[in-house]
Amino acid sequence: MIRLTLRSLRAEALRMLLSALAVVLGVAFVAGTMIFVDGMRTGAYERAGTFDRHTDLGVYSAGREVLPPTLVDRVRAVDGVAAAGGELTNTAGIVGADGRPVLGFTMLVAIPTEDALRSYDVVAGRLPDRAGEVVLDAPTAAEQGFGLGTAVRIGATGGAARPYTLVGTVDAAGTSRDVGGPFVGLVGPDALALTGERGYGRIMVAARPGADVAALTEKVRAVAGAEATVKSRQQILDEAVEDAVRNVDQFRMLLLIFVGVAIVVAGFVIANTFAIVLAQRTRRTALLRLIGATRGQVFRSTVLESAVLGLVASALGVLFGVALAAGLRLLLSRLDVPVTGGLTVTGSTVLTGLLLGTGLTVCAALLPAWRGTRIAPVAALTDAAVQPSRGAGRVRLSIGAVVLAIGVAALAGAASAGQLLLVAVGGVLTFFGIVLFGPVLVPALARVFGWPVRRVLGATGELAVANTVRNPRRVAATATALVIGIGLVSAFMVGARSTKDGIERSVDAQIGTDFVVSGIGQDLPAALVGELASRPELGVVHEQRSTVVDDVEIRAAHPALVGRTLSGVLAGDADRVGPGQVLVHRELARARGWKVGSPVTVRGRSFRVAAVVTDDTPGGEVPAGHVIDLSDQDFAALFPAQRGYLAEIDPATGVSPERARDAIAAVLGRYPTVNLMDQGAYKKMLTGTVDMLLAFVTALLGLAVVIALVGVANTLSLSVVERTRENAVLRAVGLTRGRMRAVLAVEAVLMALVGAVLGIGLGTGVSASTMSLLDRLGGDFHVVLPLGQLGLILGVAVLAALLASVLPARRALSRPVVEALADQ
């Protein structure tokens, strides 16, 4: 039986090729993910301690407060300390050679001046030794054309950009300091002055040669005090590795979700393939049974065949996984996501890929193999047994209908129940309902979609639709594989478009000016708004600032803009907000018993209630509606150190937008940590992350869709083999070659179209339920269908189905009619 099985597998190698392709793609996704993540993990271990190669001890603040510079001097004076230096990490901005800010999130670091603590890899020049000197990462210096000795202007939250002399370049790629943008290194005092910080994040300590590190630790701990924590070198390295590996593991979990989707789709395709192939072998199986083969031998033969197929396909999948990992690495680099390490192929990765692919193939073949042994030998020799078209049982269909109804009800009721978990449960139940009820649902939809085809193509269309729905379980399994991938893709597409629309509506409601100035990863510099307000070309200049005092949010408001977020004025006049006059929101007014004219005390200063208002802006750290709006002047007087990350600007009366933009740009030239945008650009900036995430998810889920389309081609190819004599009869009675191709093309399109429509329906339902829930929880989200993108999904599915029908059609027409009629 073993030799017979291997000969059978060789003889039908082409027939099993597409099934093997599904396994290859599924294993490639698994292996590629493991290879890519193993490379990242290796890089994380290698670079985790890059900046602590010479650090013996580290002093860290136990709370939020920074470590004062004077503590550095005290630690340095401890007996046994060779060197001590403060380290600060913050964000900054660089003015490029063209006078414009260098794009990208810029990291600023205070570099110790002591040689015993310096662990940077210098590419050219040296590290800064004194005030006024700076180092940059080598790529930024090269891109901007900055040479050693060049004056480079650096700015941060503390104020306008200042010139520093470039004394060297360093390699920070792949380290914790690599955040996808430029790197700036200054001496400690310069970093403190530029950022406005009052102290360091940690103090690095190098011990003298031969010093007792344990005793030195206790001495440093005594000097640092109870509010500081002293860590050993091993603790520092362990925590650095833990942080780096944690990020890698989180990324791996994200990828494994998509791996699981691809594996499930591949399982559907493989199971359907074996069901078709074994159904076509019923006569051969019957002959084996007649000459003495037992059911167990036939079953084991099929399992062996699936194991050999799975092993060969898995080996190819591992090889293809290397290329997939390289492609994923290239994709992330194009998205400006820092990636550490190379491609690491380990023995465990190869073994996992082989076992998973082989196991998946064997498991998918078990049920079809068992069913194939249940047919009696004599019954299997009849023509009726050659093309089984048994539908699903009543129990399965009944359960499927119930599960489908429960899933749809869960999606519809998730918003009312206020449970996000109900959305996930509803989506999963709906999918399983489609799987179980598919033998009824899918053929019904195929007939509906086939109605125009029957009207246009006549008998050819009738034949194509009849062939499509001939075996309900087969077409349902083929279409269901598409539902998974396309359902998830469409869910992300609808969710992303709805989220973007919600963000844009929020900007329209909250931003009432022509221009927006925002901080790049940080708050606006303290002096910036004052300089903008002093320009005669600008009228409204409002910095959005807020703080929380005693569970009440205190917000800065501008009289010309305050009405943009208000949904109603219950009492008083909102336009009267100004010096000494405040707006109180309804919920807070009710809780405190305040009315128009009531006195309100904020930070020891008395105000009067100008109006009681309502506001639909979602709440944050305080109970909903516990908000007081102060004028900009009053807010600045009470909270002078409080900064915001965004300022709204309108041109002065009679000033054109172009002149106003030029005036703003003239001021911002000295502040590289801020960005000027109009409303459209600001919306695009806020929604850019959504677009990037959607592109990333679509690329990963695309493989699952490809595997499902392979299933369409596989089903069609095997159906052509099954209908060899039938197709020959049709050709003999006058069916032309063109019409035969049309029949197969329509079959493929109907299978793909039904799967795509069900997938889009499922994905849209999940996104609609999620948006309704978010809207009920306090957001401003509504379902917005990206009709163009959803139409593109349908178009791609139809086009791929047409391409999938080419080879089956060629095979159907390749054999002469007389030879095909003699096929047994």
Side-chain angles (χ1 to χ4, degrees), residues 652-718:
T653 303
V655 176
S656 66
E658 291 75 16
R659 282 185 59 202
R661 177 183 285 274
D662 292 340
I664 299 171
V667 174
L668 298 190
R670 299 188 296 277
Y671 296 93
T673 60
V674 297
N675 193 16
L676 169 63
M677 294 168 285
D678 56 23
Q679 276 207 33
Y682 184 60
K683 292 177 182 178
K684 188 174 182 180
M685 182 197 73
L686 293 178
T687 58
T689 303
V690 178
D691 291 331
M692 183 180 72
L693 180 61
L694 178 61
F696 180 69
V697 169
T698 302
L700 293 178
L701 289 174
L703 185 60
V705 177
V706 170
I707 295 174
L709 290 171
V710 166
V712 173
N714 207 8
T715 299
L716 199 61
S717 295
L718 296 174

Side-chain angles (χ1 to χ4, degrees), residues 338-721:
V339 180
T340 60
L343 300 181
T344 304
V345 183
T346 63
S348 61
T349 296
V350 175
L351 184 61
T352 299
L354 294 178
L355 292 178
L356 181 63
T358 304
L360 176 68
T361 308
V362 171
C363 291
L366 289 178
L367 183 59
W370 180 80
R371 286 175 177 168
T373 63
R374 312 314 294 172
I375 302 175
V378 176
L381 293 176
T382 64
D383 288 340
V386 178
Q387 297 181 5
S389 58
R390 182 170 58 91
R394 292 183 179 180
V395 174
R396 169 181 171 172
L397 295 178
S398 300
I399 294 175
V402 173
V403 171
L404 181 60
I406 293 175
V408 173
L411 290 177
S416 300
Q419 293 292 328
L420 185 60
L421 179 62
L422 200 57
V423 176
V425 172
V428 171
L429 290 179
T430 302
F431 169 72
F432 279 111
I434 292 174
V435 172
L436 296 173
F437 197 63
V440 170
L441 181 63
V442 173
L445 289 175
R447 291 187 181 93
V448 172
F449 295 147
W451 179 81
V453 178
R454 295 197 299 269
R455 300 279 294 181
V456 174
L457 298 182
T460 303
E462 293 279 359
L463 181 61
V465 175
N467 284 340
T468 303
V469 302
R470 173 184 298 185
N471 193 316
R473 298 178 66 166
R474 180 181 302 177
V475 68
T478 304
T480 302
L482 265 174
V483 172
I484 305 173
I486 291 183
L488 290 172
V489 170
S490 59
F492 278 101
M493 283 185 173
V494 175
R497 185 66 191 91
S498 302
T499 301
K500 289 174 63 177
D501 186 74
I503 292 173
E504 291 170 354
R505 284 199 306 272
S506 177
V507 172
D508 290 336
Q510 298 184 35
I511 305 297
T513 58
D514 290 346
F515 300 103
V516 173
V517 171
S518 64
I520 302 176
Q522 57 184 294
D523 291 336
L524 297 174
L528 174 63
V529 174
E531 292 188 33
L532 290 171
S534 66
R535 298 289 303 211
E537 299 93 341
L538 306 180
V540 174
V541 179
H542 169 61
E543 182 180 5
Q544 289 191 0
R545 292 177 287 177
S546 67
T547 188
V548 175
V549 177
D550 297 330
D551 287 334
V552 176
E553 183 180 7
I554 312 297
R555 302 192 312 198
H558 193 287
L561 303 175
V562 69
R564 71 186 185 280
T565 60
L566 300 182
S567 57
V569 178
L570 303 180
D573 184 1
D575 294 334
R576 290 176 54 199
V577 63
Q581 300 286 322
V582 301
L583 302 183
V584 177
H585 291 231
R586 175 181 55 193
E587 290 78 7
L588 180 61
R590 288 177 178 174
R592 303 287 177 88
W594 291 338
K595 300 178 180 179
V596 175
S598 297
V600 174
T601 301
V602 180
R603 274 282 183 97
R605 182 176 169 183
S606 180
F607 297 88
R608 292 286 178 180
V609 176
V612 177
V613 299
T614 58
D615 187 346
D616 292 334
T617 304
E621 303 177 13
V622 302
H626 283 232
V627 180
I628 297 175
D629 289 321
L630 302 177
S631 67
D632 282 334
Q633 298 90 333
D634 288 337
F635 188 95
L638 291 176
F639 310 99
Q642 190 68 41
R643 300 260 58 84
Y645 74 94
L646 185 143
E648 304 166 82
I649 305 172
D650 257 345
T653 303
V655 176
S656 66
E658 291 75 16
R659 282 185 59 202
R661 177 183 285 274
D662 292 340
I664 299 171
V667 174
L668 298 190
R670 299 188 296 277
Y671 296 93
T673 60
V674 297
N675 193 16
L676 169 63
M677 294 168 285
D678 56 23
Q679 276 207 33
Y682 184 60
K683 292 177 182 178
K684 188 174 182 180
M685 182 197 73
L686 293 178
T687 58
T689 303
V690 178
D691 291 331
M692 183 180 72
L693 180 61
L694 178 61
F696 180 69
V697 169
T698 302
L700 293 178
L701 289 174
L703 185 60
V705 177
V706 170
I707 295 174
L709 290 171
V710 166
V712 173
N714 207 8
T715 299
L716 199 61
S717 295
L718 296 174
S719 296
V720 166
V721 175

